[in-house]
């Protein structure tokens, strides 16, 4: 199934079912909001499957993905991993932290979840001097996950897959990291692509609890990267289990992969500017690519083997707060 | 004004006004839940002031603080500081991190906010081997705070003061800290004392956006500490401004002081076990006090100059998940 949340004047918006080809939508009957769906998934799944079938057979009105909110416009919990080692290794090099401690568990921090930007909302920042950067990621949304859930059991709690732009301020990020407390200032709200999909919609591209598809990124209209989501050193199942080690995960918990990155980044490109700068530092002795300026845009979109957009496009402009 | 949230079968509970002497409560008329109050404070303040007056004059039923939920049973955002330098310095010593980077901004991380334990709820942990510890803190709850709010302007957004037990797993905490990502596993949900109070209720004890009162802590019935809340190196106003640097703070954001600690900890005692262990390491060459076992209890309560309980008592038992 595919879902989107459309504006209705409330903070949570109205949940819609989206046709497989992303052309039509119909208000979801089983749940009014995405949060409600995540809380009542088992109760309403069959009804929604029937509705999805009907939408695929012609029911519903036209769909404007650019008008959508984030599929989950606000969440009780957003936990972001950093599961692509080629990204982490480069970042350590860029920040001079190569001999940093490597923990015996997945990287993860908790970020702001009271707001996820919609796919085409402008993103505001206090100043260009904070080194504004995008980060293309995949993410998942869980139903309620009990404390102590294993990675194997975690798979059935991964109800939806989403595509995320995790905005970052690179001037502040390494300082907050060195403080040991993780990020607050360096991590404003993220954005989500308009459509959330169930794992079965990805077919063979949902493999080992990872998304085996390239994440295409354009910066000011120029292609910037197309790294594949499969290269995670731990799958989303392990990230869920890690997050649930000492807490119950509330229904509607969003967990991110961290910036999608491949070891072949010189060929496939990157999902954030900091990574390209890291490559430049290694190859050319210094970073040449500057961070974003007010007015800059970033677009991110994922296509399946048939060329069909999977999550719709994130297409955002950076503006002054 | 004083507020409590009583169970009504919903996740958010029902907001009540509490009499100044904590003997009577009456359902709040202006707002059904604490979250709603934080979103509509300006609209409903006068009505609630009138109701508070009536409750102080005899309106309302009896109040059982031990039956209350947390004043805000779940929040969209929980940001915890570490503003007591004598605690931070000791922790660095205990964890061998004395030459750790000191950031040019307040320490702060984002923690789980989808649940705050009520004051007498049992707290579950996966194992005793994770070094279970309590942390006595003060906290504040804000209304909506715009991105870029100054510390001076932040004061008027501090609507309520609360008392918090920030549960911690000390075996994991230093490892997560060294990872640079902050804490996820080491920080299960916190608990709140039953009563939230407006700053004016503290009188002179609300000073420089700090709580100038001792936080009394008992572990298994034995007095453990009574450190004063005034010793924060930055006030709550500065913590709010820090949190709002690059994000709007959603109404109902909870911000913590970090573990209350005084430089005179040998006399006043501590608000967490790790600190006592740190003192033992310095004074006696090794930590002798063990962390908590299943079945252990911790009680925390704050009294004003007249001996009146300010927030009611946190009184929790540690149990196996």
């Amino acid at each position: 199934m595919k879902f989107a949340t459309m504006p209705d004047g409330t903070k949570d918006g109205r949940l819609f079912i989206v046709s497989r080809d992303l052309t039509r939508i119909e208000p979801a009957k089983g749940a009014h909001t995405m949060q409600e769906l995540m809380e009542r998934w088992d109760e309403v799944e069959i009804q929604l499957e029937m509705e999805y079938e009907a939408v695929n057979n012609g029911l519903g009105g036209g769909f404007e993905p650019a008008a959508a909110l984030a599929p989950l416009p606000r969440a009780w919990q957003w936990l972001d991993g950093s599961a692509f080692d080629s990204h982490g290794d480069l970042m350590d090099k860029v920040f001079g932290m190569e001999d940093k401690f490597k923990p015996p568990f997945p990287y993860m921090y908790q970020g702001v979840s009271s707001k996820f930007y919609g796919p085409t909302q402008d993103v505001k920042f206090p100043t260009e001097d904070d080194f504004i950067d995008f980060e293309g990621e995949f993410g998942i949304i869980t139903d309620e996950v009990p404390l102590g859930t294993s990675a194997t059991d975690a798979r059935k709690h991964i109800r939806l897959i989403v595509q995320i732009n995790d905005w970052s301020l690179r001037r502040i990020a390494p300082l907050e990291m060195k403080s040991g407390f993780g990020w607050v200032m360096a991590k404003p709200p993220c954005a989500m692509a308009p459509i959330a999909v169930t794992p079965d919609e990805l077919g063979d591209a949902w493999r080992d609890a990872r998304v085996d598809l390239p994440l295409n990124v354009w910066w000011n209209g120029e292609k910037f990267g197309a790294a594949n989501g499969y290269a995670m050193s731990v799958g989303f199942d392990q990230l869920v289990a890690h997050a649930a080690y000492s807490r119950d995960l509330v229904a509607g918990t969003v967990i991110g992969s961290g910036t999608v990155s491949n070891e072949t980044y010189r060929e496939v490109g990157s999902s954030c500017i900091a990574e390209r700068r890291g490559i430049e530092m290694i190859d050319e002795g210094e970073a040449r690519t500057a961070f974003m300026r007010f007015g800059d845009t970033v677009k991110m979109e994922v296509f399946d083997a048939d060329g069909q957009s999977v999550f719709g496009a994130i297409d955002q402009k950076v503006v002054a707060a």
Side-chain angles (χ1 to χ4, degrees), chain A:
Chain A
M1 289 183 281
K2 302 190 176 185
F3 297 94
T5 295
M6 305 305 288
D8 68 349
T10 70
K11 286 172 184 150
D12 294 305
R14 178 67 171 100
L15 184 66
F16 279 71
I17 296 197
V18 181
S19 65
R20 185 166 285 122
D21 64 2
L22 310 191
T23 60
R24 285 181 314 287
I25 56 170
E26 175 74 6
K29 289 193 184 68
H32 199 81
T33 65
M34 177 60 85
Q35 179 61 39
E36 188 191 344
L37 172 59
M38 301 319 294
E39 290 171 7
R40 301 178 54 225
W41 188 281
D42 285 331
E43 284 170 72
V44 299
E45 185 174 20
I46 290 171
Q47 183 179 355
L48 288 171
E49 290 278 14
M50 289 169 58
E51 197 177 350
Y52 183 53
E53 186 71 18
V55 173
N56 283 326
N57 288 329
L59 181 75
F63 179 40
E64 270 189 82
L69 303 177
L72 187 60
R74 56 176 179 172
W76 291 107
Q77 186 165 243
W78 155 240
L79 298 164
D80 197 11
S82 182
F84 293 89
D85 289 350
S86 55
H87 174 73
D89 294 347
L90 251 179
M91 291 301 95
D92 289 348
K93 198 177 286 270
V94 171
F95 296 135
M97 297 166 79
E98 284 167 277
D99 52 359
K100 172 169 78 61
F101 170 76
K102 308 286 186 223
F105 45 77
Y107 289 106
M108 186 173 283
Y109 72 96
Q110 181 151 3
V112 55
S113 61
S114 56
K115 173 183 180 169
F116 282 91
Y117 283 107
T120 61
Q121 271 189 291
D122 291 348
V123 182
K124 62 182 181 180
F125 296 98
T127 168
E128 292 175 328
D129 297 339
D130 283 340
F131 304 166
I132 301 165
D133 199 358
F134 47 81
E135 291 190 45
E137 306 198 358
F138 291 106
I140 57 96
I141 311 180
T142 71
D143 58 10
E144 192 172 345
V145 181
L147 185 157
T149 295
S150 68
T152 305
D153 289 343
R155 290 194 181 200
K156 67 174 182 288
H157 293 289
I158 298 174
R159 295 302 193 174
L160 292 171
I161 303 164
V162 292
Q163 183 199 320
I164 291 170
N165 184 4
D166 172 37
W167 288 99
S168 290
L169 299 176
R170 300 291 189 188
R171 180 183 67 77
I172 302 166
L175 302 178
E176 289 194 319
M177 201 167 182
K178 285 177 192 166
S179 81
F181 277 56
W183 303 290
V184 173
M185 289 195 291
K187 293 288 185 178
C190 303
M192 278 191 201
I195 297 143
V197 307
T198 48
D200 60 293
E201 292 290 340
L202 294 185
D204 293 342
W206 179 246
R207 196 153 66 83
D208 305 324
R210 294 157 168 87
V211 180
D212 187 7
L213 290 171
L215 179 81
N216 299 283
V217 179
W218 297 263
W219 178 14
N220 290 331
E222 267 185 50
K223 190 67 177 274
F224 192 80
N228 187 294
Y230 186 72
M232 293 167 76
S233 57
V234 288
F236 281 110
D237 48 354
Q238 289 155 290
L239 292 178
V240 171
H242 173 68
Y245 175 77
S246 61
R247 66 179 69 174
D248 300 307
L249 302 187
V250 65
T253 291
V254 187
I255 297 184
S257 63
T259 306
V260 176
S261 171
N262 297 161
E263 279 183 36
T264 54
Y265 39 62
R266 285 179 184 81
E267 290 82 55
V268 301
S270 300
S271 306
C272 69
I273 299 170
E275 188 172 297
R276 177 181 281 187
R277 287 169 56 88
I279 298 166
E280 290 167 350
M281 284 174 71
I282 296 167
D283 292 354
E284 308 170 44
E286 62 175 348
R288 293 180 304 101
T289 305
F291 288 100
M292 295 183 93
R293 315 294 296 183
F294 292 145
D296 278 13
T297 61
V298 65
K299 184 176 177 182
M300 301 179 178
E301 193 164 13
V302 174
F303 301 98
D304 65 18
D306 302 325
Q308 166 73 53
S309 181
V310 178
F311 305 98
I314 289 173
D315 195 353
Q316 297 189 281
K317 188 165 78 179
V318 167
V319 300

